Amino acid sequence: PVVSDRTGELLTAEQATSVEYWVSHVRDTVQFSRALTYLADRDVTNHLDSAALLRGERALLDGVARVFTAGIDVDWAAVRPGRRVPLPTYAFQHRRYWLESTPENVDAEFWRLVESGDADEWGSVREALTAWRSARLARTAADSWRYRVQWRTPVAPLGTGGLSGTWLLVTAPGHEETAAACVAALRDHGATPVTVDPARDSTEWPALLGAATETPIAGVLSLLGLLDEPLPGTGGVSRGLAGTLELVRALGTADVRAPLWCVTRGAVSVGDSELLTAPVQAMVWGFGRVVALEHPERWGGLIDLPESIDTRAGRALGAVLSGTDGEDQVAIRSSGTFLRRLVPAPAGPGIDAGELLRGTVLITGGTGALGAHIARWAAANGAQRLLLLSRRGPAAPGATELVAELTDTVPVRVAACDVTDRAALAAVLAELPAEHPLTTVVHAAGVDVHQYAPATELDLELLAPVVAAKLSGATALAEVLEEYPEVGSFVLFSSAAGVWGGGGQGAYSAANAYLDALAEHRRGRGLPATAIAWGPWAQTDGAGITTTAQQQMERRGLPAMAPESALDALYRAIANADTALTVADVEWERFHASFALSRPRPLLHDIPEVGAALREAAGQQPDRTAFAERLAGLGRAEQQRAVLELVRAEVAEVLGHGNPAEVDLTRASRDLGFDSLTAVQLSRRLQVSAGLRLPATLIFDYPTFAELAAHIHEQLTDRTGELFALLEQIEGRITDTALDATAGMAAVERLAQVVTRLRAELTGRGAAADTAARIEEASDDEIFELLDLELE
């Protein structure tokens, strides 16, 4: 039955189907009190508000369900006809797997309606809203991907501990004054410098190092990075880069594990007012970042020196070399010491980048898949003419189709030109019509050959082609463009590998670091230049990384960027006249976990997400007492079981297993699905739960989790360190106390008594343990023989 809140009586069929009744229901006063009185007079204790009927079937079913859960029988056949099945019990085992809703997706349903096409009656409004929405999302994503390098002064003094031992100083010809200053700085900070001059010595590197390493080496300081003249026949590889590569390989062959520090001068700029004078030396920085990832145990860092090393700079150099805080990318200036940091770079309003695209837009690598994306983008953003250069020109695959696609929008010319050939490049540009001057250049020509090799296996034959492909083309373009003052934007496509390095990418990182430095060098001279160090692009139409590489990158925290959003970032970089910009979609907690697995990486410490993770980790100080005290009251076998269960529970939590019993501790960590991120997570959890300081590489140091548990058990039950600390305290107290001869001898005799008693007790324990072990290993006959001897 339905009670009308217009009359306070049962609703009649005539009223329910009357238009006038429902109109009056809306316009006139509702008699809700009379309806409730009617129900109360008839002892009705539960009712369903009829408003649910008016809000649709979903609201009605929700109301009926609430009545049902209140204990009232419902005729479900009348409510919702159809076959009914028993509800499985697991439906009540609540475990949420879906992301919680956030304020960002409050309007998601509205945009779903717009983008799905379900609102076709909106016509052009829907199309406009969809286009606006897509552009807004692309821009929002692109803006969140922007980062730049910033140089900051240290909060606390670096390296207050000084140096010790023998340090090798690898000199460079023509830089004797710098070598002398470095020798003085090393000596002033307590080191014993030994000079190695590879230019004067005709011996091979192994022999050279062998002669210098007769005593243990505490550190290596190399000045080879100061050599920026090109090595003949290498397409632009500097003597400094080639020499540093040889040094790294030689140190590895000689098994010298002392930290290697590489010096440059003018390879970086610490501020807008400082001119970056030696972009070629930046290749040593790019290569060094890769060595730091591949060989963290024998890497020191990179230091850019001032023009002259005075007393203050010498002190700063010694402080950096003696530092123990992980700072490995440092610039020393007369004004102080600066540390390299990557920080977010929010986009400003900028100018209308479309104005810079007026005229002719030159795109190198223009017929490739990436070049085609850029060409379409330029055409859509106001370019008046396009000049697409590639080695094969019109004969390149897809060139004819691309021209046909773009011709309706903008005139396009495709030319065959090797951009590393300065004369050929100048000839092509000379043919541009005066009414369409060159205004924007995008150097997107890629590397035809990628040489992925560890630094210790890299040689000039592998290094030179990669460096030449990046350096020669960019340098030729930069030289030719100085004759074209109308050019307002010169964009160099670089890679994030040059910013933070990458395993096996020593050559690629070095080459891209040069592009970033070249942009800073040009900007410092008042010339246009924007280097964009890209993260991975998603593969579309042959552009971007492969699917396999994309999956690997995503596991490391580097998901591939959609080309549309990446091109929006390109537009914003031009509009903001950025100089050296990193554009990458990074899941920072995951990326930093693997990036800093082997040693601290201060480069990323000013990224907000990384800083938050570091502060959280620092706040989780291990408390050894709780779990250790629990173990202290157990026998050895019970202790081992307790530690195994602790490890099993933490592994299950990290991997997301609902039941720890599912974890097979006899399997290797990689077989269970662990990667660098989950390895760090497990290490942090075990530090807190077990109360131990454990390395992030913990699970990779032990073949199985059972062996890992054994290691943790040993650490928790081994009190040797604690005992020796106590003995040191006793020794210190006795030494610091002024004792006369009589009192001193009394103390010594007392300690001698304690030592004698402890020796006897420990010897007895050892014998008992030995007997117990022999009994454990004895056969049945040996046990009976022992019993017979005891009973005699």
Side-chain angles (χ1 to χ4, degrees), residues 487-558:
V487 174
S489 182
F490 175 29
V491 181
L492 299 162
F493 270 40
S494 176
S495 168
V499 176
W500 53 60
Q505 297 187 10
Y508 194 60
S509 179
N512 284 289
Y514 168 77
L515 295 186
D516 297 339
L518 176 63
E520 291 193 59
H521 173 68
R522 282 180 56 87
R523 188 74 72 172
R525 295 172 53 217
L527 300 172
T530 297
I532 304 179
W534 294 104
W537 285 41
Q539 187 176 42
T540 56
D541 302 326
I545 59 176
T546 64
T547 302
T548 301
Q550 183 171 328
Q551 291 172 347
Q552 294 174 345
M553 289 288 191
E554 287 178 355
R555 287 180 62 82
R556 289 178 49 206
L558 278 174

Side-chain angles (χ1 to χ4, degrees), residues 575-654:
N576 282 269
D578 292 307
T579 301
L581 185 70
T582 300
V583 177
D585 182 9
V586 188
E587 296 172 3
W588 283 111
E589 185 176 358
R590 177 181 290 272
F591 180 79
H592 180 261
S594 58
F595 187 65
L597 187 62
S598 55
R599 62 180 282 170
R601 306 290 180 182
L603 170 68
L604 303 182
H605 286 185
D606 285 1
I607 298 292
E609 296 89 337
V610 174
L614 290 173
R615 288 190 295 273
E616 180 183 356
Q620 297 177 344
Q621 296 298 327
D623 179 8
R624 185 169 184 169
T625 58
F627 191 70
E629 286 179 358
R630 177 188 166 197
L631 291 184
L634 302 175
R636 183 173 181 81
E638 292 175 314
Q639 288 178 347
Q640 293 172 335
R641 281 195 295 271
V643 176
L644 275 172
E645 291 310 310
L646 174 71
V647 172
R648 193 191 304 274
E650 297 296 0
V651 170
E653 185 66 29
V654 170

Side-chain angles (χ1 to χ4, degrees), residues 204-229:
E204 294 293 330
W205 269 110
L208 192 62
L209 289 175
T213 57
E214 294 176 354
T215 58
I217 301 302
V220 182
L221 179 61
S222 170
L223 307 186
L224 294 174
L226 298 172
L227 304 175
D228 50 11
E229 60 270 18

Side-chain angles (χ1 to χ4, degrees), residues 391 417-428 472-473 476-477 479-480:
R391 290 180 181 274
C417 179
D418 180 358
V419 295
T420 65
D421 185 336
R422 189 186 186 286
L425 186 61
V428 170
S472 300
L477 273 169
E479 292 173 353
V480 171

